[in-house]
Amino acid sequence: MDVGGVIVSGIPGAFESIETLAESIYHESLHAKFYAVERQLNEPTPDLADDQLVVRVPWQQDLDGKPQRWNAHRALDAYYVYVHLGVLRSLLLSRSRSERDLDRLRRVCFRAAYLNRQIEATCLNIIDAERLAIWRWLDGGRVREFDLSVEGRALLEDARVAA
C-alpha cells in the first residue's frame, strides 16, 4: 500500500535553492521507488531488524563520531539512490557548469562508488540473486567517480576490504 506522507530532507540547506530542494525530494522519492521495485521481486524483503550491520558509511557518524554501519539491504537501497542522483547531477552540471554542481556530482559519484565496493566486499553472500541483478544493472548506469582527494581514494581502496 502506498501512502502519501512527509518527506524529511537530510540535505543541509535544502531550501537554499530550487535545485537543492528538488534533489532532496528526488532522493527521498527514490527510496520509495526502490521499495516499490522490491515488492515486485520473488524473494520477499527480509526483516531488516535481524540483519548484520556489515557496510561502513564514512559520511554518516554516530553520536560518538564513528562511521555508521548499514545492513546489506539498506546499502543496496542507498546505492540505488546515489546512482540515480549521479544521473540527475550530471544533467544539472551540463546545464549550469557551476562549481557547486560539480562538487555535488563529485560527492554523489564517490558515495555510489563506495557503496558499490562495500556491497561487493561484504554483501554478496547476503543479498539474493534478484537484488544482486539490480546491483549489477545499476553499476552499468553509474556515473563513475572522478577527481578524488587523497582521502577519497584511500576510502575507496579500503572499501574493497570486507568490513
Side-chain angles (χ1 to χ4, degrees), residues 6 93 121 141:
V6 174
L93 179 63

Side-chain angles (χ1 to χ4, degrees), residues 26 81-91 105 108-109 112 141 143:
Y26 183 55
V81 169
Y82 284 117
V83 168
H84 284 79
L85 286 176
V87 174
L88 171 70
R89 278 279 153 203
S90 292
L91 176 62
L105 176 62
V108 163
C109 291
V143 179

Side-chain angles (χ1 to χ4, degrees), residues 19 89-102:
E19 292 87 3
R89 278 279 153 203
S90 292
L91 176 62
L92 289 173
L93 179 63
S94 73
R95 296 183 72 174
S96 74
R97 306 270 189 227
S98 79
E99 192 65 33
R100 185 178 165 281
D101 285 334
L102 178 64

Side-chain angles (χ1 to χ4, degrees), residues 33-139:
K33 176 67 173 174
F34 188 71
Y35 299 145
V37 168
E38 282 199 313
R39 286 198 300 265
Q40 305 307 310
L41 300 180
N42 291 319
E43 293 291 323
T45 303
D47 182 1
L48 302 183
D50 297 332
D51 277 1
Q52 293 179 335
L53 302 177
V54 295
V55 175
R56 292 169 293 178
V57 186
W59 58 88
Q60 288 190 355
Q61 289 81 34
D62 63 18
L63 295 176
D64 296 327
K66 295 178 185 171
Q68 282 190 359
R69 289 185 174 264
W70 291 341
N71 61 48
H73 296 90
R74 170 70 179 94
L76 180 60
D77 174 28
Y79 181 57
Y80 179 90
V81 169
Y82 284 117
V83 168
H84 284 79
L85 286 176
V87 174
L88 171 70
R89 278 279 153 203
S90 292
L91 176 62
L92 289 173
L93 179 63
S94 73
R95 296 183 72 174
S96 74
R97 306 270 189 227
S98 79
E99 192 65 33
R100 185 178 165 281
D101 285 334
L102 178 64
D103 288 342
R104 297 240 7 119
L105 176 62
R106 188 181 295 116
R107 182 179 303 117
V108 163
C109 291
F110 165 77
R111 290 178 180 185
Y114 184 89
L115 288 171
N116 183 49
R117 291 179 185 191
Q118 277 283 283
I119 290 168
E120 184 174 32
T122 64
C123 304
L124 296 185
N125 62 344
I126 298 171
I127 298 175
D128 61 76
E130 286 182 306
R131 287 168 179 83
L132 286 176
I134 292 170
W135 169 65
R136 287 185 196 94
W137 176 79
L138 288 166
D139 191 49

